[in-house]
Amino acid sequence: MKHLDTIGNLTTDEIEELIDSASSFKNGRYANYSTKHIALMFFENSTRTRFSFECAINRLGAHPYIFDISKSSNQKGETLKDTINNLCAIGINTFVIRTREENLIDELKQIEFYRPTHFINAGEGKSSHPTQALLDYFTILEKIKTVKNKKVVIVGDIRHSRVARSNIALLKKFGANITTSAPEYFMEEIEGTTFEPDLKKALIDADVVMALRIQNERLDEAISKEDFIKNYSLNMENFPQGALLMHPGPVNRDVEISSKLLDSKIGKTILNQAENGVYIRMAVIDKILQGQSR
Ligand code: CP
């Protein structure tokens, strides 16, 4: 594996291998990549993804470098391509990138840099967040063993969500039945999913319920929070018994999920997701570093 750009570019065998690898890291497997140098370039805000990549790099014995855009020569007009080329020359050849731009990783993959480079997508525009989908899948498998023929309900801001798109791409590969539920302003039909606007109906017989963060930074116009909360907020009353509650974070408390549900035992899976993110990112980096010569 040279890069991780989208779930669509991974086979089911490759996904299963990454899950097994993450599991072995969780069980104490050790690696030492002390000659490897990895840059974290986050052009959008992040807590979970940035820290878990940094944590994963440190646990693998490699060296993380945080690219601070506000203090970089990007502010003097240097292009991203030139920045990466110079960092390559300095000795950093793996780049974890979060960006607002669609297809940036795909474009960077085509460029011949100073030395062979490797790119890992840490969240790109509205379209993809592959390590989030992998860590979500890892977490689901730990709890319910398989997604084949299981009902996964994805609730909320489908339209602006890269988490939804990557999760749907992955879950479809493994035979899940996916239902989306959203108000009209957040709705988007995605192939291979069933849309049910009535949340109560959507939640019937759900095995997994994924709430999505409202992507305020991507909204063209303000929405009525009250309307969303009334019809799409998950709470102790409407949450289906025995289902798994997931959310990629950060949670808008009492909007996507009520505080009471979030702080209950049911809400703990969301922290399991954050925990598993480190092991999935270790597995992805390990796989990419294995293929590098030095
Ligand atoms: N889930 C997720 O991507 O969270 P952050 O934006 O905090 O990285």
Side-chain angles (χ1 to χ4, degrees):
M1 197 163 97
K2 262 194 89 180
H3 311 280
L4 176 65
D5 56 352
T6 64
I7 289 293
N9 285 341
L10 292 175
T11 64
T12 52
D13 283 351
E14 285 171 325
I15 292 170
E16 279 167 355
E17 196 189 320
L18 287 170
I19 299 293
D20 287 348
S21 175
S23 181
S24 70
F25 279 122
K26 193 168 181 177
N27 288 318
R29 188 173 130 220
Y30 172 80
N32 187 353
Y33 287 109
S34 59
T35 61
K36 302 295 183 185
H37 302 269
I38 302 173
L40 296 168
M41 305 181 93
F42 278 63
F43 298 101
E44 279 190 332
N45 293 349
S46 170
T47 297
R48 274 143 293 273
T49 312
R50 209 208 83 171
F51 274 89
S52 64
F53 265 114
E54 191 174 353
C55 192
I57 294 164
N58 279 309
R59 287 197 197 182
L60 289 168
H63 306 278
Y65 299 86
I66 309 293
F67 178 77
D68 181 348
I69 187 168
S70 67
K71 294 192 172 66
S72 76
S73 291
N74 182 276
Q75 302 299 321
K76 301 176 193 166
E78 187 175 51
T79 66
L80 181 60
K81 183 188 159 191
D82 287 337
T83 301
I84 290 175
N85 221 6
N86 279 273
L87 291 176
C88 274
I90 288 165
I92 299 169
N93 74 332
T94 302
F95 297 86
V96 177
I97 299 183
R98 168 166 289 195
T99 172
R100 185 174 289 269
E101 276 179 61
E102 307 291 350
N103 302 319
L104 178 66
I105 308 277
D106 194 46
E107 284 166 29
L108 292 171
K109 270 167 51 183
Q110 323 292 334
I111 298 170
E112 197 172 316
F113 288 104
Y114 186 79
R115 56 178 109 236
T117 51
H118 305 269
F119 295 102
I120 300 173
N121 179 346
E124 187 175 74
K126 291 190 282 184
S127 62
S128 63
H129 194 350
T131 57
Q132 180 70 45
L134 288 165
L135 76 87
D136 289 344
Y137 186 49
F138 181 34
T139 307
I140 294 171
L141 292 184
E142 282 188 331
K143 310 275 183 193
I144 62 169
K145 311 283 182 246
T146 180
V147 295
K148 194 166 173 57
N149 299 324
K150 301 284 186 190
K151 181 175 179 183
V152 180
V153 183
I154 305 181
V155 183
D157 187 359
I158 312 283
R159 182 172 292 173
H160 305 101
S161 176
R162 55 192 174 209
V163 174
R165 281 169 186 75
S166 285
N167 263 297
I168 290 168
L170 189 151
L171 293 167
K172 277 194 328 195
K173 284 179 190 275
F174 291 95
N177 299 323
I178 306 162
T179 297
T180 59
S181 190
E184 215 232 309
Y185 46 85
F186 283 157
M187 187 229 159
E188 186 154 309
E189 281 195 41
I190 300 181
E191 207 187 316
T193 65
T194 304
F195 177 63
E196 173 49 73
D198 184 335
L199 180 66
K200 210 170 162 189
K201 286 186 190 158
L203 293 177
I204 294 169
D205 294 331
D207 296 292
V208 178
V209 182
M210 270 184 202
L212 299 171
R213 182 176 71 84
I214 294 180
Q215 309 268 305
N216 289 306
E217 69 277 24
R218 295 185 219 283
L219 300 185
D220 295 328
E221 48 192 78
I223 57 130
S224 157
K225 245 186 206 168
E226 290 69 32
D227 174 76
F228 183 86
I229 292 167
K230 183 166 163 252
N231 296 302
Y232 292 95
S233 184
L234 297 165
N235 53 52
M236 293 304 266
E237 287 69 45
N238 65 13
F239 195 74
Q241 209 185 352
L244 203 60
L245 171 64
M246 303 182 79
H247 190 299
V251 178
N252 289 306
R253 271 180 178 267
D254 297 311
V255 179
E256 296 115 18
I257 304 175
S258 73
S259 280
K260 203 167 169 196
L261 180 61
L262 188 63
D263 295 335
S264 75
K265 210 173 147 202
I266 298 166
K268 291 279 181 293
T269 306
I270 294 167
L271 291 173
N272 299 147
Q273 289 172 263
E275 180 187 0
N276 285 338
V278 177
Y279 302 110
I280 281 293
R281 286 157 184 144
M282 287 175 83
V284 167
I285 295 164
D286 174 59
K287 185 75 188 155
I288 285 174
L289 295 183
Q290 275 172 23
Q292 297 182 12
S293 51
R294 70 178 190 91

